[in-house]
Amino acid sequence: MRTTLLLTGVLLAAPVLAGCTDNATGSDAAGSDDRSFTVAASDDACDVSGSQAPSGALRFDVTNTGSQITEFYLLADDGLRIIGEVENIGPGVSRSLTIKAPAGDYLTACKPGMRGDGIRAAFTVTASDDGEQQLSASDQQRVDEALAGYRLYVRDQSAQLLDKTARFVALYKAGQDDRARALYPEARTHWERIETVAESFGDLDPLMDAREADLEPGEDWTGWHRLEKDLWPAEAGAYRAMTPAQRATYADDLLANTRTLDDRIQDLDYTVDAVANGSRGLLEEVASGKVTGEEETWSHTDLWDFQANVDGARVAFEGLEPIVADHDPALAEQLTTRFEQLQVLLDAQRTADGFRLYTDLTQPEVKALADAVNALSEPLSHLTAAIV
Amino acid sequence: MAAARISRRGLLGGGVAAGLAGGFAAGRASADDTVTPAVTSYAFRGEHQAGIVTPAQDRLHFAAFDLTTDDRDEVVALLQDWTAAAERLTRGDGAGEVGPVDGAPELPPDDTGEAIGLPPSRLTITFGFGPTFFDRLALADRRPAALRRLPHFPADVLRPEISDGDLCVQACADDPQVAFHAVRNLTRIAFGRASMRWSQLGFGRTSSTSTTQDTPRNLFGFKDGTANVKAEQPEVLDAHVWVGADDDPAGGWLAGGSYLVARRISMSIETWDRQPLVDQEAIVGRTKGEGAPLGGTAEHDEPDLGAVTGLAPTIPVDAHVRVVHPSQHGGAQMLRRGYNFVDGSTPLGALDAGLFFLAFVRDPDTQFIPVQQAMASTDAMMEYLEVTGSALFAVPPGVGPGEYVGQGLLV
């Protein structure tokens, strides 16, 4: 059982998550009807009985009316940070999610087939006095909530990584190079969002994410960037394209490693300093590889990775933000502001299908991004000390 | 003038001096300093910023920054943080209040640590504001007329990425690691408010700013800065270095400060080295050994610009010492404080070497621009020079007790 590996039963103790209890009663939801909702989750719809609630403990009773296993999520309005989820709801099964939510904009999502972004809808939580009382929590509760939220986030990103990697390698093996090239940065987004977690598996990381320049002489080169070079051979000079058999070998290897990674991530548990250090670490990844354009040597899709690293760092910070705001409000405010300032610069580089290529950026644009990364990284290096 | 701390070994004579001006000049005969190492540190606060008339230290790390915010409060906070750090650093303490190894283990240290165990090394840190600083903060009404981008001069091949800047920090010390440590930590403090635009290391002073110092040599092998403004000439400093209260209606805040001209001058030293000695001396207008003006016998002899040898002027019409001589420019002098630099080598195997020219003047329009124009158009030395970086900064006056640097501009 995976749950036996959880430290201190954090997940079960955290009221935020509630999650897996079929027998929760109305009393868990503060006995307030305007905080209780039903969700009819079919194969092509996600009907929530309301789209607005006062802050406090919310309850969602989810019934799977479809034919596939489904999941239900309450997400922060960035669509990335998971406030709460129920997984593995079989056809005909009902489960409930009880969760504490402060005022703000959210998204509800059902994931029939447990794939993709899910069927999403906006959900608003308004401020309410009795709700704020319900929300006051001790540091330990907040830590538990932050850790549980982060754990869910990593698992969700890993699942999406596995899903998109499977599609990517299928396209690549089938010689559908245009479609493979289009999916490449999108799939890698999920890797980059959890890069510091993935890198904690020292055996998998070099097999999956090594760049050619990282290799020792004679070392076999596998993973994403091996395929990247084969998909963008024009950049590679006298490069000899892989045969279909070679393609299959390297593609299957990447998929197998991605599956292993996903398996291991199910068992992972986190400490609060690991989450904080992971946030800092993701910005270091940006500073050392993405803002320099060294990560995607052939595809030049570095800004996708850049954004994904920033996503992961921000999600980790936002989970910890209530604690930081208590201990060091100036730091919390500064980090929030500087995440926003960096995001403004990244948004300016967006195109219809993603981001401009690194090689299309001007030197002043790169410098401005580097400045914003430095501006954020310096206070981010104080995050761990502010929460432990 | 910054107050000097004096070690228990005793007073140093002079400590401060003044000199003359002119581009590449030459100095007294002996090898190096007569400054005893009695002074080990200079106070950051004082009537004028340290690092101007302070006897030139041996090493330089100069950095230009661009603001990354247009919020005046954030800039004030940066200058306050810089002031506090500079005061500590010049004392020989860490950049932060805690220090490199005494902080909480889960926090990054507030000082980077490479100066642990090193003495203050006569560190001075001098701050300045570039013309663009005023645009950025909507302070155009407080920008003195003279504070604007220097005009293009012949032989300027400027690289924008090593020119200009909203702010500058000049760190000088006798130990290069101490100067570097200052710039590194000030850069770190600035993240989010200002980012480094360019920086330049200098390894050997090319000017003496005190009569207690001998004249050093530039990379052409000639004494440089013989005729410099020196600290021991208060009336010359007032006339040629310190900005007066009434110099500019927009620049009252700059009274007691100065203008800093920074020019990265690349030298074709390989070509220079192939010139016969007599030609080298004719180009400079001085002897290579003693540094005496041609026709004279000692370094500090006044050049006789009217002297004739045979049918030709003893000091050629295009000799450097003549072209930049104050008598050719209405008496204009400047306090030069430059450093030799070598930034590795070029792809063609030449040394990327030269002079990082720094000069403090009361008015760049009369004391620098005409001299540079004359030099660029008529100086024989220009054949071996190329200016690759250029900047002008206003250096505010010294920082009083409880103040931050530049406070007069921003209040």
Side-chain angles (χ1 to χ4, degrees), chain A residues 261-338:
Chain A
L261 174 68
D262 187 58
D263 282 345
R264 292 191 196 171
I265 277 175
Q266 306 307 316
D267 297 342
L268 269 192
D269 207 11
Y270 307 91
T271 58
V272 69
D273 55 326
V275 174
N277 287 334
S279 182
R280 190 190 73 213
L282 284 168
L283 258 292
E284 285 166 9
E285 298 286 346
V286 173
S288 61
K290 279 72 175 191
V291 81
T292 57
E294 291 168 32
E295 180 72 20
E296 305 289 357
T297 316
W298 316 107
S299 68
H300 306 305
T301 53
D302 301 88
L303 286 194
W304 275 261
D305 301 350
F306 191 145
Q307 177 70 65
N309 281 161
V310 172
D311 288 342
R314 187 176 46 74
V315 165
F317 161 66
E318 286 178 351
L320 301 170
E321 198 271 345
I323 307 167
V324 186
D326 251 12
H327 295 190
D328 188 345
L331 179 64
E333 191 184 326
Q334 186 176 45
L335 285 169
T336 301
T337 304
R338 291 193 175 169

Side-chain angles (χ1 to χ4, degrees), chain A residues 7-8 13 27 42 50 53 87 91 107 127 148 161 184 195 198 222 237 242 246 257 267 273 277-278 281 359 377 380:
Chain A
L7 294 179
T8 69
S27 62
S42 66
E87 296 179 297
L107 296 169
L161 174 66
Y184 172 84
E195 187 173 15
T222 61
M242 281 200 256
Q246 285 174 315
N257 284 326
D267 297 342
D273 55 326
N277 287 334
T359 40
S377 300
L380 202 56

Side-chain angles (χ1 to χ4, degrees), chain B residues 342-355:
Chain B
V342 177
D343 292 343
S345 51
T346 72
L348 299 181
L351 287 165
D352 183 3
L355 173 72

Side-chain angles (χ1 to χ4, degrees), chain A residues 280 334 338 341 367 371 374-375 378 381-382 384-385 388, chain B residues 66 68 74 104 106-108 188 191-193 195-197:
Chain A
R280 190 190 73 213
Q334 186 176 45
R338 291 193 175 169
Q341 289 169 340
K367 175 71 159 49
D371 286 346
N374 282 326
E378 199 65 29
S381 70
H382 291 245
T384 307
V388 294
Chain B
D66 282 338
T68 54
E74 290 239 42
E106 64 272 15
L107 267 177
R188 185 176 174 218
F191 281 132
R193 299 177 287 193
S195 74
M196 186 174 284
R197 180 179 174 90

Side-chain angles (χ1 to χ4, degrees), chain A residues 337-338 341-342 345 364 366-376, chain B residues 64-72 74-75 78 82 132-133 136-137 165-167 187-197:
Chain A
T337 304
R338 291 193 175 169
Q341 289 169 340
L342 177 56
L345 294 181
V366 173
K367 175 71 159 49
L369 286 166
D371 286 346
V373 168
N374 282 326
L376 171 59
Chain B
F65 294 81
D66 282 338
L67 293 175
T68 54
T69 176
D70 51 15
D71 180 334
R72 193 191 291 207
E74 290 239 42
V75 176
L78 168 62
W82 269 0
T132 46
F133 180 89
R136 192 75 207 242
L137 293 186
D166 294 343
L167 290 158
T187 303
R188 185 176 174 218
I189 288 167
F191 281 132
R193 299 177 287 193
S195 74
M196 186 174 284
R197 180 179 174 90

Side-chain angles (χ1 to χ4, degrees), chain A residues 11-34:
Chain A
L11 263 183
L12 303 175
V16 219
L17 288 177
C20 309
T21 49
D22 281 340
N23 57 354
T25 65
S27 62
D28 286 353
S32 172
D33 279 342
D34 55 1

Side-chain angles (χ1 to χ4, degrees), chain A residues 157-173 177 179-195 198-199 204-215 220-233 239 242 247 249-262 290 294-301 304-305:
Chain A
Q157 292 302 318
S158 177
Q160 294 194 55
L161 174 66
L162 182 56
D163 177 43
K164 288 182 183 167
T165 304
R167 284 154 56 197
F168 168 74
V169 300
L171 292 168
Y172 175 68
K173 284 162 72 176
D177 288 8
R179 294 178 62 196
R181 278 189 283 263
L183 190 55
Y184 172 84
E186 199 186 318
R188 279 185 56 75
T189 288
H190 302 290
W191 166 275
E192 297 289 348
R193 281 179 181 155
I194 56 172
E195 187 173 15
E199 286 182 352
L204 287 178
D205 179 47
L207 297 176
M208 298 176 69
D209 199 35
R211 292 169 295 185
E212 191 169 19
D214 298 333
L215 302 175
D220 191 22
W221 182 30
T222 61
W224 281 104
H225 298 298
R226 182 77 186 86
L227 276 54
E228 179 203 2
K229 186 174 184 179
D230 198 49
L231 282 169
W232 278 271
Y239 174 75
M242 281 200 256
R247 278 194 170 203
T249 301
Y250 287 104
D252 292 344
D253 176 72
L254 174 61
L255 184 58
N257 284 326
T258 308
R259 196 165 280 128
T260 304
L261 174 68
D262 187 58
K290 279 72 175 191
E294 291 168 32
E295 180 72 20
E296 305 289 357
T297 316
W298 316 107
S299 68
H300 306 305
T301 53
W304 275 261
D305 301 350

